[in-house]
Amino acid sequence: MKLKILLLIAFWTLISCKREPKISSTDWVSVSGRVAYKKEVDVFKLKSGNFSYDFKSDKLPFKRVIVLNASLIGYLSELGLENNIVGVSSPEYIYSDKVKQLIADGKIQNIGSDQKYDVEKIISLQPDIIFTNYIASFENTYQLLKNNGVQVVFLDEYLEQKPLERTGYLKVFGELLGKDKEAELRYHEIEQNYDGLKKIALTASQKPAVLANEMYGSVWYLPGGKTYMANFISDANADYILKDNNEEKSVTMSFEEVFSKSQQVTCWVNAGNHISKQVMVNINPLYGKLEVFKSGKVYGIGGREKEKANDFFESGVVRADGVLKDYIKIFHPELLPDYQLTYMKELQ
């Protein structure tokens, strides 16, 4: 699981350098610079990255849904749409108790893994729609599904670098699945919570220096200064060591480079899903040389984890306010004295 988490973080940050045309037409409701939709009398139009979709209004809302990524399940759970799901891939990585129970009851089918999908089983389930991240190596599978009349929609939420824009995908799911009003309400609640938390963070008397992520092999993949994680750290009113960097993807550094930049760091966040600092240093003895490891605080993302499933990558994708609240608690504990961490966990 630790390798899986490392690969996910590296994949998300590395691939986020991808560029798609920005959506600017005033006729469209913009979720982000890469996702927008437009409602017309007879058709619902959706743009997502390089993909465009036209859905006839009389076919909406979709009822039978297959979801191929645990992060996308977070949106359906937030809208109470778990019963619409008829198939998932890699169920061992799903955190939601309700979805897991539906799988156990046979109401949601396992249609394969992120290595290979069972196309025949997918077709037999007769889904109205499949939601997935776009993976180029699966292009032949996507085409086979389309050839058999299965609608596949690509929603690459992990490419969004602004937390509330990632949350905004709720609106797309709401429109397609008949929960548009609920989705708008939930989005605005999360947005208001997030903005309120940012204001609280600004009242802090000091800004701690922050290090993020960890090494994979001999390379440290640090979030670029304009990435999703860097934006969280900034909004929580802390000083990320690469705050002046302009990359929207990960920045690779050697341990020596990170060591030289982290002498004043007092908080290390997103240090994998390790259970203790001892486990970390057993895996990589170099960590023990860092001042923050010796005398600061180290936090992993194991606050909500069950076996291979981690809710940081599920509900945490949607609940930007919850993730921000964790970071504020870490950087400025005096501002939220009664709050207990949700997604993060301090390593001892």
Side-chain angles (χ1 to χ4, degrees):
M1 181 58 185
K2 293 181 175 62
L3 177 59
K4 177 80 173 183
I5 296 295
L6 284 168
L7 289 172
L8 277 170
I9 292 173
F11 174 70
W12 285 2
T13 50
L14 280 171
I15 200 169
S16 62
C17 61
K18 183 180 177 181
R19 294 287 188 270
E20 278 97 6
K22 298 296 182 182
I23 299 166
S24 60
S25 172
T26 56
D27 293 334
W28 294 76
V29 176
S30 178
V31 173
S32 70
R34 62 186 314 280
V35 173
Y37 60 85
K38 180 166 62 171
K39 291 186 281 188
E40 298 180 349
V41 175
D42 298 321
V43 66
F44 177 85
K45 295 178 176 290
L46 172 67
K47 293 180 182 179
S48 179
N50 290 323
F51 301 95
S52 296
Y53 308 91
D54 290 346
F55 303 109
K56 292 183 178 179
S57 299
D58 60 2
K59 298 296 184 181
L60 299 177
F62 295 125
K63 296 296 185 183
R64 297 176 59 80
V65 177
I66 288 178
V67 186
L68 302 184
N69 306 87
S71 60
L72 297 181
I73 285 178
Y75 295 99
L76 277 78
S77 295
E78 189 67 28
L79 296 174
L81 291 167
E82 296 94 338
N83 289 322
N84 287 55
I85 303 172
V86 297
V88 297
S89 70
S90 302
E92 65 272 23
Y93 294 109
I94 295 172
Y95 186 87
S96 165
D97 286 335
K98 184 169 183 179
V99 172
K100 282 203 170 286
Q101 188 59 53
L102 289 168
I103 294 170
D105 293 342
K107 295 178 180 178
I108 296 178
Q109 299 296 311
N110 176 7
I111 53 79
S113 71
D114 54 6
Q115 300 300 314
K116 185 177 181 180
Y117 301 130
D118 186 335
V119 174
E120 290 185 1
K121 192 170 187 178
I122 291 174
I123 294 171
S124 71
L125 288 172
Q126 298 181 312
D128 296 327
I129 195 165
I130 294 177
F131 292 113
T132 183
N133 298 154
Y134 177 76
I135 306 298
S137 60
F138 278 91
E139 181 58 43
N140 289 339
T141 300
Y142 301 145
Q143 192 58 54
L144 181 57
L145 289 170
K146 293 174 187 177
N147 291 344
N148 281 275
V150 179
Q151 176 70 64
V152 182
V153 171
F154 303 112
L155 292 171
D156 295 332
E157 87 298 331
Y158 64 91
L159 293 177
E160 302 293 352
Q161 303 307 323
K162 296 179 180 179
L164 285 175
E165 290 187 351
R166 199 171 289 197
T167 297
Y169 280 53
L170 270 174
K171 300 176 186 178
V172 176
F173 285 95
E175 292 288 347
L176 294 177
L177 303 179
K179 291 276 190 175
D180 53 320
K181 293 180 180 178
E182 293 88 339
E184 283 285 348
L185 178 61
R186 291 301 296 131
Y187 173 78
H188 287 300
E189 288 176 348
I190 294 170
E191 179 185 43
Q192 289 177 357
N193 290 343
Y194 194 96
D195 291 342
L197 287 164
K198 283 177 64 176
K199 291 177 181 177
I200 291 173
L202 288 174
T203 68
S205 58
Q206 57 184 359
K207 299 171 68 172
V210 178
L211 173 66
N213 286 13
E214 61 175 330
M215 295 186 74
Y216 180 58
S218 61
V219 178
W220 200 306
Y221 292 91
L222 292 106
K226 301 298 181 183
T227 57
Y228 181 68
M229 193 180 303
N231 282 322
F232 268 126
I233 295 171
S234 175
D235 289 345
N237 196 24
D239 277 332
Y240 175 44
I241 63 170
L242 293 187
K243 65 179 181 180
D244 296 325
N245 177 274
N246 290 317
E247 294 285 354
E248 290 188 350
K249 60 183 178 64
S250 67
V251 176
T252 58
M253 288 188 178
S254 65
F255 174 80
E256 290 74 19
E257 289 174 302
V258 173
F259 181 85
S260 68
K261 288 180 176 293
S262 62
Q263 295 303 303
Q264 305 304 314
V265 167
T266 58
C267 288
W268 178 1
V269 297
N270 290 59
N273 65 330
H274 305 290
I275 61 173
S276 70
K277 291 170 71 175
Q278 186 60 54
V279 169
M280 289 184 68
V281 80
N282 287 346
I283 294 172
N284 192 332
L286 291 174
Y287 291 151
K289 297 182 179 182
L290 294 171
E291 193 61 37
V292 65
F293 190 88
K294 292 184 287 186
S295 60
K297 290 183 176 292
V298 182
Y299 295 85
I301 55 172
R304 287 175 65 85
E305 190 171 40
K306 293 182 295 191
E307 298 179 348
K308 294 182 178 181
N310 191 316
D311 203 30
F312 178 76
F313 299 109
E314 195 167 312
S315 76
V317 173
V318 185
R319 294 304 303 267
D321 55 341
V323 175
L324 179 63
K325 197 169 187 178
D326 269 17
Y327 284 126
I328 294 173
K329 177 66 175 182
I330 289 169
F331 304 144
H332 312 292
E334 74 283 358
L335 298 181
L336 299 170
D338 299 322
Y339 176 67
Q340 300 297 315
L341 294 175
T342 299
Y343 299 103
M344 313 297 170
K345 184 178 181 180
E346 184 176 359
L347 304 184
Q348 304 294 335

